[in-house]
Amino acid sequence: MTFADHLTTFHGLPVLTYPGLDAEDLPAADSVAWRLDCYAADMVAFDELWESFTERVPSASVRALVIGPWWGDDGYDELRPVLERIVAAADRFPALRALFLADATGEECEISWLQLTDVTPALEAFPLLEEFGVRGGDSSGLGDEPLSLRPVRHEALRVLRFESGGLPSQVVRAVGACELPALERLEMWLGVRRYGGDTAVADLAPILGGGRFPALRHLALEDSEVQDEIAAAVASAPVVAQLESLSLALGTLTDTGAEALLAGQPLGHLKRLDLHHHYLSEAVTDRVRTALAAGATEVDLSDRQVPHLWRDTEWRYVAVSE
């Protein structure tokens, strides 16, 4: 899955876009992840689409919900009113275990233009939620509110994912301050400073220190313009010992970052190391493969990039920014 695609599966369920106000012959409510998309519903207002969905689909059985484009012809609306509707109806969704906000592609809205909000109420309203995903970042100043998060304790959450061309450091620090005893997978696209991705390695310290999330088995710190610095920090990070898979993909990883990994703690216990979309030389690429070849670690070194030259300066780009 990339930003060019909509979700096709979510929480182990096929994603079905709700057909709209005249929906008929719908599948069982618990058999799919329901996607609400105002574009696909002929630009109907979200409030109307929500009312139709909650009337025609037995909400008490819905297990997974995906929010696609929620705006109409007048421009990109903020997510806050949409999230407020969902939170207000929380008692009607006792079986909800997965929620994804802002499943929009670049053709529908650039990732940095998605106008988000404080998403903490979703975690507070659904204490049994197991999977939570958010796409977007600081909205590039288009809206009144950037994406934000407050530290919370959540007993059930197993998967937390942020996809962003510029993830605010406030969100990263809030994640590190959360108490998530069941969290198994943490994935964050950190993005670039130009689009609000101002995370420094120091902001990752609570996560990298280990012990914060005792159940964590997969960590992805991706899509960063400081991927080398992150790799150097990961090379000695205590959290790595508890992981089964690690991803530093989608960013500007160069030989410097890869060599830091090679010189750091052993990675042979990992089942998978994902470094795809990188700027490694062929020689260092071979060294990484050779170093992990003796074990059972699957290494993804695909999508090798070549720096762009402009006025004798090399430019490296993350996979997703604007």
Side-chain angles (χ1 to χ4, degrees), residues 250-274:
L250 304 177
T252 59
L253 187 71
T254 71
D255 288 357
T256 300
E259 288 171 350
L261 288 175
L262 290 171
Q265 62 189 304
L267 301 176
H269 68 286
L270 295 174
K271 294 180 180 178
R272 179 175 171 81
L273 176 62
D274 188 351

Side-chain angles (χ1 to χ4, degrees), residues 5 14 22 47 49 51 53 61 82 96 112 119 124 128 132 136-137 140 167 183 185-186 242 245 319:
D5 307 313
D22 300 322
D47 282 353
L49 188 63
E51 291 298 330
F53 172 69
S61 299
V82 171
L96 191 70
S112 65
V119 297
E124 295 172 331
L128 299 180
F132 184 47
S140 295
L167 190 63
L183 190 68
R185 297 182 64 89
L186 174 60
Q242 73 186 68
S245 58

Side-chain angles (χ1 to χ4, degrees), residues 252-255 277-281 303-310 312-317:
T252 59
L253 187 71
T254 71
D255 288 357
H277 187 281
H278 61 85
Y279 291 83
L280 274 58
S281 66
D303 198 16
R304 179 173 178 263
Q305 302 291 307
V306 177
H308 295 267
L309 285 176
W310 186 72
D312 297 325
T313 301
E314 289 188 347
W315 295 88
R316 296 176 177 84
Y317 299 94

Side-chain angles (χ1 to χ4, degrees), residues 286-297 299:
D286 290 341
R287 284 178 57 198
V288 173
R289 286 199 182 99
T290 300
L292 294 169
T297 305
V299 184

Side-chain angles (χ1 to χ4, degrees), residues 53-82:
F53 172 69
T54 53
E55 287 176 3
R56 294 172 181 260
V57 176
S59 56
S61 299
V62 171
R63 296 167 54 198
L65 186 61
V66 176
I67 304 301
W70 60 88
W71 54 85
D73 290 324
D74 295 333
Y76 305 129
D77 297 328
E78 293 181 347
L79 180 66
R80 180 175 47 79
V82 171

Side-chain angles (χ1 to χ4, degrees), residues 83-147:
L83 186 57
E84 288 174 349
R85 290 297 300 266
I86 296 170
V87 167
D91 60 344
R92 299 175 61 180
F93 290 85
L96 191 70
R97 297 295 180 268
L99 175 63
F100 191 96
L101 301 175
D103 179 36
T105 67
E107 291 185 356
E108 294 160 339
C109 180
E110 297 290 353
I111 195 169
S112 65
W113 297 359
L114 291 165
Q115 297 188 44
L116 303 184
T117 186
D118 179 3
V119 297
T120 317
L123 295 173
E124 295 172 331
F126 296 99
L128 299 180
L129 202 67
E130 297 176 358
E131 184 167 357
F132 184 47
V134 182
R135 180 175 291 171
D138 77 336
S139 304
S140 295
L142 295 175
D144 294 332
E145 298 181 75
L147 170 66

Side-chain angles (χ1 to χ4, degrees), residues 118-304:
D118 179 3
V119 297
T120 317
L123 295 173
E124 295 172 331
F126 296 99
L128 299 180
L129 202 67
E130 297 176 358
E131 184 167 357
F132 184 47
V134 182
R135 180 175 291 171
D138 77 336
S139 304
S140 295
L142 295 175
D144 294 332
E145 298 181 75
L147 170 66
S148 63
L149 178 73
R150 289 177 277 108
V152 295
R153 180 175 179 84
H154 196 290
E155 301 287 347
L157 195 68
R158 295 190 296 107
V159 180
L160 179 60
R161 180 177 177 87
F162 288 98
E163 300 176 359
S164 179
L167 190 63
S169 59
Q170 183 276 329
V171 174
V172 175
R173 291 193 298 272
V175 169
C178 286
E179 297 181 51
L180 307 171
L183 190 68
E184 299 173 2
R185 297 182 64 89
L186 174 60
E187 305 178 25
M188 296 189 291
W189 296 2
L190 300 172
V192 301
R193 183 171 291 273
R194 180 179 178 183
Y195 292 106
D198 57 349
T199 297
V201 171
D203 298 318
L204 299 168
I207 299 169
L208 297 179
R212 187 68 189 174
F213 306 128
L216 192 66
R217 297 297 178 265
H218 171 74
L219 176 63
L221 303 173
E222 302 173 319
D223 197 53
S224 176
E225 63 183 346
V226 293
Q227 204 75 61
D228 282 346
E229 296 176 33
I230 293 171
V234 166
S236 60
V239 72
V240 173
Q242 73 186 68
L243 300 179
E244 295 179 356
S245 58
L246 171 67
S247 179
L248 303 177
L250 304 177
T252 59
L253 187 71
T254 71
D255 288 357
T256 300
E259 288 171 350
L261 288 175
L262 290 171
Q265 62 189 304
L267 301 176
H269 68 286
L270 295 174
K271 294 180 180 178
R272 179 175 171 81
L273 176 62
D274 188 351
L275 303 177
H276 84 274
H277 187 281
H278 61 85
Y279 291 83
L280 274 58
S281 66
E282 292 185 8
V284 173
T285 297
D286 290 341
R287 284 178 57 198
V288 173
R289 286 199 182 99
T290 300
L292 294 169
T297 305
E298 175 189 350
V299 184
D300 188 346
L301 286 159
S302 62
D303 198 16
R304 179 173 178 263

